[in-house]
Amino acid sequence: MPAAAGPEIERLIQLLARLPGLGPRSARRAALFLIKKREAIMAPLAAALQNAIEKIEVCRTCGNIDTQNPCTVCADPRRDGSAIVVVADVADLWALERAHAINARYHVLGGTLSPLDGVGPDDLSIDALVERASDPDVKEVVLALSATVDGQSTAHYITDLLHEANVKVTRLAHGVPVGGELDYLDEGTLAAAMRSRTPF
Ligand code: ZN
């Protein structure tokens, strides 16, 4: 297919098409939008990207992404240091922070165990978690992992490893979402909600 634009523009479109949620068609639209808004959006975006390349680091303690190391969460003295919330990815950490779900510290695994995709324990930050959990100040490890087969097998694997460490291991409740109607839930969710019922 002949290219409709010069190589610089084609390159921009190709790179945009690699972003999650963007196919070739929407990448073309995004590229055109950026080109039309060169001063208002494209230049500030390019500057923000350059800034990110120079300043963003992975936190050496928890694996969060930030412009300071240790990250803002790890460096915050008002955080409850007795609980570590284990998440698969930075996106999950950010989601919990947006929800103001807990005022604790985190540990980013970098994925979940997945034999089918060839992801084993050595590919994840599990040793570092066990070391952090062995600190006498840490009393609880909260496994905030997805309710998928991989998420739950990762949770079981970590729970077994933490058997030696003197910590309480908890996991997120599985069940009815806030605002959810019972007859719309799938059977698995409904059964899990019934199993993890709590006193009212
Ligand atoms: Zn951190």
Side-chain angles (χ1 to χ4, degrees):
M1 199 174 76
E8 294 84 1
I9 294 174
E10 282 300 323
R11 172 98 181 120
L12 178 62
I13 294 167
Q14 276 169 15
L15 288 171
L16 286 170
R18 288 199 209 162
L19 294 176
L22 244 61
R25 187 189 291 258
S26 37
R28 239 160 241 287
R29 257 205 309 267
L32 201 56
F33 176 80
L34 287 172
I35 292 162
K36 283 181 182 165
K37 306 263 179 189
R38 193 155 25 163
E39 291 306 315
I41 295 184
M42 201 188 215
L45 177 66
L49 288 172
Q50 187 58 43
N51 222 358
I53 290 169
E54 286 163 12
K55 295 199 179 136
I56 289 180
E57 292 181 60
V58 174
C59 175
R60 66 177 103 91
T61 306
C62 74
N64 189 15
I65 290 172
D66 205 342
T67 50
Q68 64 177 65
N69 203 344
C71 72
T72 312
V73 175
C74 286
D76 184 353
R78 291 163 301 179
R79 293 272 170 168
D80 174 8
S82 72
I84 298 175
V85 182
V86 178
V87 292
D89 288 302
V90 173
D92 304 325
L93 189 165
W94 289 358
L96 287 167
E97 282 293 290
R98 274 200 309 277
H100 303 288
I102 188 166
N103 187 38
R105 299 225 162 90
Y106 293 91
H107 190 88
V108 180
L109 293 176
T112 46
L113 295 174
S114 177
L116 284 179
D117 297 319
V119 182
D122 293 343
D123 300 309
L124 305 177
S125 174
I126 291 179
D127 289 348
L129 170 64
V130 174
E131 200 182 314
R132 286 183 72 194
S134 308
D135 186 317
D137 290 341
V138 176
K139 306 288 180 219
E140 180 180 1
V141 170
V142 185
L143 300 172
L145 298 168
S146 297
T148 57
V149 173
D150 287 347
Q152 293 312 297
S153 57
T154 309
H156 284 294
Y157 183 84
I158 291 172
T159 306
D160 286 346
L161 284 182
L162 291 177
H163 199 68
E164 299 290 305
N166 193 22
V167 286
K168 181 167 79 169
V169 181
T170 55
R171 62 159 189 158
L172 296 186
H174 295 170
V176 183
V178 175
E181 295 194 38
L182 287 197
D183 61 347
Y184 282 98
L185 295 182
D186 65 278
E187 290 81 5
T189 305
L190 209 45
M194 188 55 82
R195 278 197 303 275
S196 37
R197 63 190 183 275
T198 52
F200 195 65

